[in-house]
């Protein structure tokens, strides 16, 4: 199928062929969907956050004539149930869920595509199950290291680029609690009162949305910022961030790259990514030079900024004719 959107470089919009709910462990049920060619090359899309979701435009990174496109909503996120649940919600549970879905769909192995937190999860999954991964397409690399979290959520990093928006995010928290903004927000996001959760979720999510692009129009933020989305994203993100992604060490991914060095991979990173600065993507490439690195010169963090979208579609087009192992 020919691409028809010269601005975003995405393939035309398509509807899913099938949707479903898959019960997994610990009382969780995952929403998933399939679109594209049922006999095509399997690919699984891993959304960001954690706590975000996968939407209709995420199907459009893949040629629907060539790919069997699988999207899922991670535990507690999107349409998965129970909504915003933190119970048994860890990186390793998500890795197990991806495997459960692969087995449920009868897929021997698949391409794994993930951006931001989705890149973290894609790497963790590939390291745990390298024999199930044909290729990796990664965007906006994030390792959940303290330095990365401090950059976005403590004074002195992204706050220097967005001082006006930072003040709104900062001033929600009393001054005596600002030494650990993630913990301060988390305290409110696990409060039993839904009104307290929502009050904290709005500035948390607004800060992330505002910093995600070179320029984010206010109307775009308003359109994305539903109460339901804000609470899920903020609750699950802070849960993962206070637990440092549930990794044994900050360098766990780097320590285990030897397990995936032979997997073809493309790393796409916006030069002016404020949410996940490009240095992390470059460090991954330095440790894994076999992976192709694409620095997009006119983009921030968002996957649908034109330069980012173009590079991602070029990567999936490159891999679309590859045979499954």
């Amino acid at each position: 199928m020919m691409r028809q959107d010269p601005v975003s470089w995405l393939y035309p919009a398509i509807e899913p062929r099938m949707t479903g709910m898959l019960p997994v462990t610990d009382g969780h049920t995952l929403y998933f969907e399939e679109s594209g060619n049922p006999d095509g090359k399997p690919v699984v899309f891993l959304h960001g956050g954690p706590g975000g979701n996968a939407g209709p435009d995420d199907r459009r990174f893949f040629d629907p004539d060539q790919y069997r496109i699988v999207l899922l909503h991670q535990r507690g996120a999107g349409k998965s149930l129970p909504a915003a649940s933190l119970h048994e919600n860890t990186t390793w549970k998500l890795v197990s869920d991806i495997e459960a879905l692969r087995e449920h769909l009868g897929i021997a192995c698949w391409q794994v595509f993930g951006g931001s937190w989705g890149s973290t999860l894609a790497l963790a999954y590939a390291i745990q199950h390298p024999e199930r991964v044909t290729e990796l397409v990664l965007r906006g690399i994030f390792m959940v290291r303290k330095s990365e979290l401090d950059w976005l959520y403590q004074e002195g990093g992204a706050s220097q680029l967005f001082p006006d928006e930072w003040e709104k995010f900062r001033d929600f928290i009393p001054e005596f609690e600002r030494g650990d903004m993630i913990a301060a927000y988390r305290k409110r996001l696990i409060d039993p009162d839904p009104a307290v959760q929502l009050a904290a979720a709005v500035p948390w999510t607004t800060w992330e949305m505002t910093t995600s692009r070179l320029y984010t129009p206010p109307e775009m933020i308003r359109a994305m910022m539903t109460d339901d989305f804000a609470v899920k994203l903020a609750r699950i993100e802070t849960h993962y961030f206070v637990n440092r992604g549930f990794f044994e060490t900050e360098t766990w991914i780097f320590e285990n790259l030897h397990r995936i060095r032979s997997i073809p991979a493309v790393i796409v990173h916006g030069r002016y990514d404020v949410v996940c600065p490009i240095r992390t993507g470059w460090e991954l490439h330095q440790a894994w030079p076999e992976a192709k690195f694409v620095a997009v010169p006119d983009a921030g963090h968002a996957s649908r900024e034109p330069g980012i979208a173009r590079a991602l579609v070029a990567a999936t087009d490159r891999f679309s004719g590859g045979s499954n192992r």
Side-chain angles (χ1 to χ4, degrees):
M1 180 181 288
M2 294 295 292
R3 293 186 295 274
Q4 297 177 1
D5 189 341
V7 175
S8 71
W9 296 90
L10 302 179
Y11 281 94
I14 54 173
E15 294 299 317
R17 291 185 294 101
M18 179 267 286
T19 64
M21 299 293 290
L22 177 66
V24 284
T25 60
D26 313 304
H28 286 273
T29 301
L30 306 179
Y31 170 84
F32 69 94
E33 63 177 52
E34 281 198 54
S35 56
N37 182 351
D39 299 316
K41 182 182 183 67
V43 60
V44 60
F45 178 95
L46 303 180
H47 64 70
N53 60 36
D57 279 345
D58 295 320
R59 306 170 195 137
R60 301 175 61 197
F61 291 108
F62 314 96
D63 183 342
D65 292 337
Q66 299 297 321
Y67 277 100
R68 178 183 177 184
I69 306 160
V70 179
L71 272 61
L72 80 152
H73 293 177
Q74 297 157 28
R75 292 188 177 208
K79 298 178 183 178
S80 291
L81 298 173
S85 174
L86 307 181
H87 172 67
E88 293 296 326
N89 197 334
T90 72
T91 301
W92 309 115
K93 294 292 185 177
L94 299 187
V95 166
S96 295
D97 292 346
I98 296 167
E99 264 298 271
L101 179 60
R102 183 192 61 77
E103 293 175 355
H104 175 74
L105 296 175
I107 293 172
C109 49
W110 48 10
Q111 181 182 125
V112 182
F113 180 114
S116 193
W117 160 255
S119 75
T120 323
L121 183 57
L123 288 163
Y125 173 80
I127 288 168
Q128 293 289 84
H129 301 282
E131 73 285 357
R132 300 303 181 187
V133 180
T134 57
E135 304 92 14
L136 285 159
V137 178
L138 307 169
R139 189 257 320 160
I141 304 302
F142 177 48
M143 299 288 189
V144 208
R145 295 177 295 182
K146 184 177 186 299
S147 60
E148 297 169 66
L149 296 172
D150 285 350
W151 162 266
L152 189 58
Y153 297 113
Q154 292 298 136
E155 190 94 40
S159 66
Q160 296 190 65
L161 300 175
F162 293 86
D164 47 346
E165 298 298 334
W166 168 259
E167 287 190 4
K168 299 174 190 175
F169 174 75
R170 180 199 64 194
D171 290 352
F172 180 77
I173 300 298
E175 188 171 356
F176 71 91
E177 292 185 76
R178 292 176 190 167
D180 190 337
M181 295 288 284
I182 294 174
Y185 268 95
R186 180 177 186 262
K187 182 175 75 173
R188 291 155 176 84
L189 287 160
I190 61 174
D191 191 280
D193 185 346
V196 174
Q197 293 183 27
L198 179 59
V202 169
W204 176 276
T205 305
T206 300
W207 169 244
E208 183 167 332
M209 297 298 101
T210 301
T211 54
S212 288
R213 294 172 178 261
L214 289 181
Y215 171 65
T216 308
E219 59 271 19
M220 180 181 289
I221 296 175
R222 288 193 294 270
M224 293 187 293
M225 274 287 299
T226 65
D227 291 354
D228 179 68
F229 174 76
V231 170
K232 289 174 183 175
L233 183 72
R235 273 175 56 84
I236 297 173
E237 279 193 337
T238 53
H239 169 68
Y240 273 74
F241 295 169
V242 297
N243 288 290
R244 297 290 190 270
F246 299 93
F247 291 109
E248 293 177 9
T249 68
E250 281 204 335
T251 56
W252 185 89
I253 289 174
F254 289 103
E255 292 164 14
N256 289 280
L257 281 177
H258 63 278
R259 294 179 54 81
I260 61 172
R261 295 189 80 94
S262 64
I263 298 175
V266 175
I267 301 166
V268 175
H269 220 122
R271 175 70 68 190
Y272 301 106
D273 190 333
V274 172
V275 174
C276 298
I278 193 171
R279 177 176 177 177
T280 302
W282 183 246
E283 288 173 348
L284 177 62
H285 175 56
Q286 292 295 96
W288 186 16
E290 297 87 351
K292 180 180 179 181
F293 183 79
V294 181
V296 181
D298 57 351
H301 184 68
S303 62
R304 284 183 284 281
E305 288 180 278
I308 298 284
R310 182 178 186 177
L312 291 172
V313 170
T316 62
D317 282 353
R318 171 187 168 191
F319 292 140
S320 64
S323 60
N324 293 338
R325 290 186 293 176

